[in-house]
């Protein structure tokens, strides 16, 4: 069968022919991949800036945003049967007894850093015809979502951030009432974040590079959210024109913007950072002003990565809701579908919103 792999030592990305996996353990499931989404993480791995092959291997099979069909199940598998659609969770627990998060089934909060991530770090991914996975890491998706369910994994980044922000808001000694939300960035995470906020009743604004008459801006407005372009409105003056927000979701990964984002919060507001800037990125900041603002206004800034099962279930429920509220806008997030052999060229360019690899079709 086919598998698309990166070889860090020789800096090559190409299609391999590897043997089909065989079902072994009683809780294992054999999956046929339907679709796999590509994102900035894949582009970084394919340019050898990020990611690691499984220990001892010279290559990593790429792909972490999966949608697959169950082909065969082990004898102890409950709740899944052949024909079901699933999304696989990306991160897997570290082996250490002292890691409280992994032992509690939440490797997205891993304390040791020795977790693995399928298609990213130390474990092969889903850009292949078949994979084996344990039922513990599979989340069932309704058939009606088949044509958009490849968006579930990126949406879990948003639902985890939202669940965390919710827990933080819980500290407030009053009911915050109707809230305003700001999304920084209009890539897949930013746009899914905007859908989430709109669906949850937030007055929502998206701030990104694209111009105000771009397709992306139009898509944002079609959700009922506002759009402001960063090319005409620097972040330093944004609050003056657009006011401040209870929640800010950052999905850009540009360090200066990430450092400036807390300015956009109302008192007691919450900023969720999801972008991953390059290790050496720097930003100018007046530390005294920024720190006084955090303290004197009770602001919370937190980082969030990956997601737990609960966040996956929430992502699926929200995607169902989005398909009722704005189905055409959701479909427009997938701007390109391609076969597996086009992936190496695709990974060197950035076009459209979400690029999806079609591996197999419904039988
Ligand atoms: C993936 C996450 C992963 C993160 C860090 C993201 O692109 O969606 O599942 O935890 O990269 O590797
Ligand atoms: Zn991703």
């Amino acid at each position: 069968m086919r598998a698309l792999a990166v070889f860090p030592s020789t800096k090559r990305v190409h299609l391999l022919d590897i043997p089909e996996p065989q079902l072994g353990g009683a809780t294992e499931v054999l999956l046929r991949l339907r679709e796999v989404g590509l994102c900035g993480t894949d582009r970084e791995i394919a340019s050898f800036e990020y990611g690691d092959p499984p220990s001892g291997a010279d290559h990593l099979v790429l792909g972490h945003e999966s949608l697959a069909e169950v082909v065969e199940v082990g004898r102890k598998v409950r709740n899944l049967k052949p024909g079901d659609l699933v999304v696989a969770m990306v991160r897997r627990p570290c082996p250490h007894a002292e890691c409280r998060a992994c032992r509690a089934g939440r490797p997205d909060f891993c304390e040791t850093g020795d977790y693995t991530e399928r298609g990213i770090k130390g474990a092969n991914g889903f850009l292949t015809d078949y994979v084996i996975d344990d039922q513990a890491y599979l989340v069932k998706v309704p058939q009606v979502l088949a044509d958009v369910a490849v968006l579930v994994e990126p949406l879990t980044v948003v639902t985890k951030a939202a669940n965390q922000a919710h827990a933080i808001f819980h500290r407030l000694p009053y009911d915050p009432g109707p809230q305003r939300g700001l999304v920084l960035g209009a890539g897949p995470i930013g746009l899914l974040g905007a859908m989430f906020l709109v669906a949850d009743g937030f007055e929502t604004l998206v701030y990104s590079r694209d111009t105000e008459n771009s397709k992306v801006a139009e898509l944002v407005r079609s959700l009922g959210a506002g759009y402001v372009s960063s090319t005409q409105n620097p972040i330093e003056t944004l609050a003056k024109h657009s006011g401040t927000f209870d929640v800010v979701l950052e999905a850009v990964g540009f360090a200066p913007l990430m450092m400036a984002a807390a300015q956009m919060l109302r008192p007691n507001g919450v900023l969720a950072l999801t972008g991953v800037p390059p290790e050496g990125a720097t930003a100018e900041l007046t530390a005294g002003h920024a720190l006084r603002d955090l303290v004197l206004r009770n602001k919370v800034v937190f980082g969030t990565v990956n997601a737990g099962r609960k966040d996956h279930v929430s992502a699926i429920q929200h995607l169902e809701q989005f398909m009722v509220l704005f189905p055409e806008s959701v479909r427009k997030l997938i701007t390109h579908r391609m076969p597996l052999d086009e992936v190496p060229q695709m990974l060197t360019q950035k076009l459209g919103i979400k690029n999806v690899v079609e591996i197999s079709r419904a039988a």
Side-chain angles (χ1 to χ4, degrees), residues 109-120:
F109 283 103
C110 177
E111 297 178 296
T112 68
D114 287 341
Y115 59 82
T116 59
E117 287 182 337
R118 289 202 73 161
I120 301 176

Side-chain angles (χ1 to χ4, degrees), residues 39-42 45 50 64-65 89-91 108 115 117-118 120-121 153-154 156-157 189 276 305-307:
C39 75
T41 302
D42 301 302
I45 299 170
Y50 190 60
H64 60 273
E65 302 180 2
M89 295 166 74
V90 174
R91 195 178 278 199
D108 58 317
Y115 59 82
E117 287 182 337
R118 289 202 73 161
I120 301 176
K121 179 180 179 286
E153 199 280 339
T156 63
V157 173
I189 305 282
V276 185
V305 68
N306 200 259

Side-chain angles (χ1 to χ4, degrees), residues 186 201 347:
L347 280 171

